[in-house]
Amino acid sequence: MDFLTLFLIYLCLVLTAVALLCTCSGRKESFLTRSANGASQALSFIIPTWLQRVTQRALHRVFHTRSCLFVVLHIVLQAAVYGEYTWEVFAYCWELQFHLLLLLLPYLLLAVNMGCFILCSRANPGVITKSNHASVRKIYAYDGVLFQEGIMCPTCNMEKPARSKHCSFCDTCVHRFDHHCVWLNNCIGAFNAKYFFLYLITLTAMAGTISTITTAFLIQVVLLTNMMHGSYIDDQGQEHAVEILFLIQHLFLTFPRIVFMLGFVVLLTIILGAYCCFSLYLALTNQTSNEWYKSRWPGCPHHLTVQPPVYKNIYSKGVWMNLKEIFKPATVSERKKK
């Protein structure tokens, strides 16, 4: 494998890790922001001032404003994975007589995922305006801990409804704000949470399916070549039985792009699977990412002497009703009936 291909693969991994950190961007100052600030201070002694200004403007545009950068990266990564899957894995598996429906499953998941991606990125997440502010304010009660009555949004110049938050990326207040997703270039709120949930599930299923098929192909190659029962001679001329590390190295040298793709999608499956489970937990307990974070790490002053109140989620109405609220957001009329 040439150096450029290797570099591009690792660059994609690094950018993916950075973007995953950005999913917690609902906070005013994330870990990524603090790390970037610390690094910029350390490098300010050797980097020219003009270059620092250009870099800071570029980073601010990428991580603090709406940008299509990660949307493009999202499409590029999917195209790279599916290109490799189609060009090599699908072709090899077809020759090995894998079931056609199994091989076509990733494409079906891709079609559903792209539909959810478009719906979620283009849908109104629940932007609060002066015209709908009065009705949105009546939907949820103030819990007195995370959401207090009478708190004004200094940017929108409106009283914040319960469970809402001003998104610094979109510069709007969002009803039942969860987080701003850089992959979708949109906020996740009351009205597009269902699309995001389906998008996340299908994305996890895509990565898991491709990982499973690719792993099955490599195992089939090992079994057909009877490689596990062979032996090899090391640099000292001694003969050894084939071990797992030697087997992985051999597969990497034989199918370098496939093994790299497998490592990437396996890592993605683990990360997305964990995040998918976390999102399911939030849905079943009727919480948002913003509320979960604020309830565990409240932004209290360092010299606060009074014990902060214990948070109790007043919005949970039972597992079924909580899950139903994701796909059918609560309205003013429904709240009045209760």
Side-chain angles (χ1 to χ4, degrees):
M1 176 180 291
D2 59 288
F3 174 77
L4 179 59
T5 305
L6 188 63
F7 173 75
L8 289 175
I9 292 172
Y10 278 112
L11 180 61
C12 289
L13 291 173
V14 171
L15 288 175
T16 304
V18 169
L20 288 169
L21 287 174
C22 292
T23 57
C24 302
S25 57
R27 312 168 205 173
K28 288 185 179 179
E29 185 178 9
S30 65
F31 168 78
L32 181 63
T33 304
R34 294 194 298 270
S35 301
N37 290 337
S40 63
Q41 290 177 2
L43 295 174
S44 62
F45 299 102
I46 57 176
I47 298 178
T49 306
W50 67 269
L51 184 57
Q52 293 181 41
R53 287 197 296 266
V54 171
T55 305
Q56 288 173 357
R57 282 198 296 267
L59 291 175
H60 177 79
R61 182 171 181 79
V62 170
F63 295 113
H64 295 280
T65 60
R66 295 192 71 178
S67 171
C68 293
L69 173 64
F70 287 102
V71 175
V72 174
L73 178 61
H74 178 284
I75 297 173
V76 169
L77 287 174
Q78 276 196 339
V81 170
Y82 270 85
E84 179 59 28
Y85 173 77
T86 304
W87 185 256
E88 291 199 282
V89 177
F90 186 96
Y92 286 136
C93 290
W94 179 251
E95 291 181 7
L96 293 174
Q97 299 182 342
F98 277 57
H99 201 287
L100 181 60
L101 291 179
L102 176 64
L103 298 179
L104 293 178
L105 182 57
Y107 299 105
L108 175 62
L109 291 171
L110 176 64
V112 177
N113 180 260
M114 290 305 297
C116 295
F117 172 83
I118 295 171
L119 288 172
C120 193
S121 60
R122 297 182 64 86
N124 178 7
V127 175
I128 301 173
T129 62
K130 293 188 181 296
S131 60
N132 66 7
H133 176 265
S135 59
V136 170
R137 189 177 177 277
K138 297 175 183 177
I139 294 178
Y140 293 112
Y142 292 93
D143 61 5
V145 180
L146 300 182
F147 306 103
Q148 312 233 358
E149 194 169 3
I151 303 297
M152 300 292 292
C153 175
T155 305
C156 299
N157 197 25
M158 294 185 296
E159 183 181 0
K160 289 184 177 181
R163 311 194 77 181
S164 68
K165 186 181 183 299
H166 186 87
C167 176
S168 59
F169 288 81
C170 302
D171 199 27
T172 55
C173 282
V174 178
H175 171 47
R176 200 181 184 275
F177 178 86
D178 190 275
H179 70 284
H180 181 92
C181 181
V182 295
W183 292 110
L184 300 167
N185 197 25
N186 198 9
C187 287
I188 308 302
F191 300 146
N192 65 349
K194 54 182 176 290
Y195 302 131
F196 178 75
F197 194 61
L198 294 174
Y199 161 79
L200 189 60
I201 291 175
T202 53
L203 192 63
T204 307
M206 283 164 50
T209 303
I210 292 178
S211 300
T212 303
I213 295 174
T214 306
T215 302
F217 159 67
L218 294 177
I219 292 175
Q220 189 76 353
V221 169
V222 172
L223 294 176
L224 289 175
T225 56
N226 205 22
M227 201 179 303
M228 288 299 296
H229 300 286
S231 60
Y232 69 96
I233 299 176
D234 61 14
D235 297 335
Q236 286 74 35
Q238 297 180 347
E239 186 176 357
H240 299 275
V242 172
E243 301 170 348
I244 296 297
L245 290 178
F246 178 84
L247 186 62
I248 294 174
Q249 182 183 13
H250 177 77
L251 290 173
F252 171 73
L253 294 174
T254 309
F255 308 104
R257 290 188 297 273
I258 293 179
V259 173
F260 260 109
M261 184 200 71
L262 177 61
F264 176 73
V265 292
V266 166
L267 176 63
L268 207 59
T269 302
I270 295 172
I271 295 174
L272 290 173
Y275 187 51
C276 197
C277 292
F278 174 66
S279 297
L280 179 61
Y281 160 75
L282 293 180
L284 295 177
T285 56
N286 205 330
Q287 297 183 80
T288 65
S289 299
N290 179 53
E291 293 164 1
W292 181 86
Y293 173 75
K294 288 172 66 176
S295 66
R296 282 153 181 79
W297 293 280
C300 301
H302 294 294
H303 302 290
L304 187 65
T305 56
V306 181
Q307 182 72 18
V310 178
Y311 174 69
K312 181 180 179 181
N313 182 15
I314 67 170
Y315 306 113
S316 180
K317 307 298 180 183
V319 171
W320 172 247
M321 293 302 297
N322 293 341
L323 191 60
K324 181 182 176 182
E325 192 168 313
I326 294 293
F327 294 92
K328 186 182 178 183
T331 60
V332 179
S333 58
E334 290 177 348
R335 291 295 169 182
K336 286 183 177 179
K337 290 178 183 179
K338 296 178 182 179

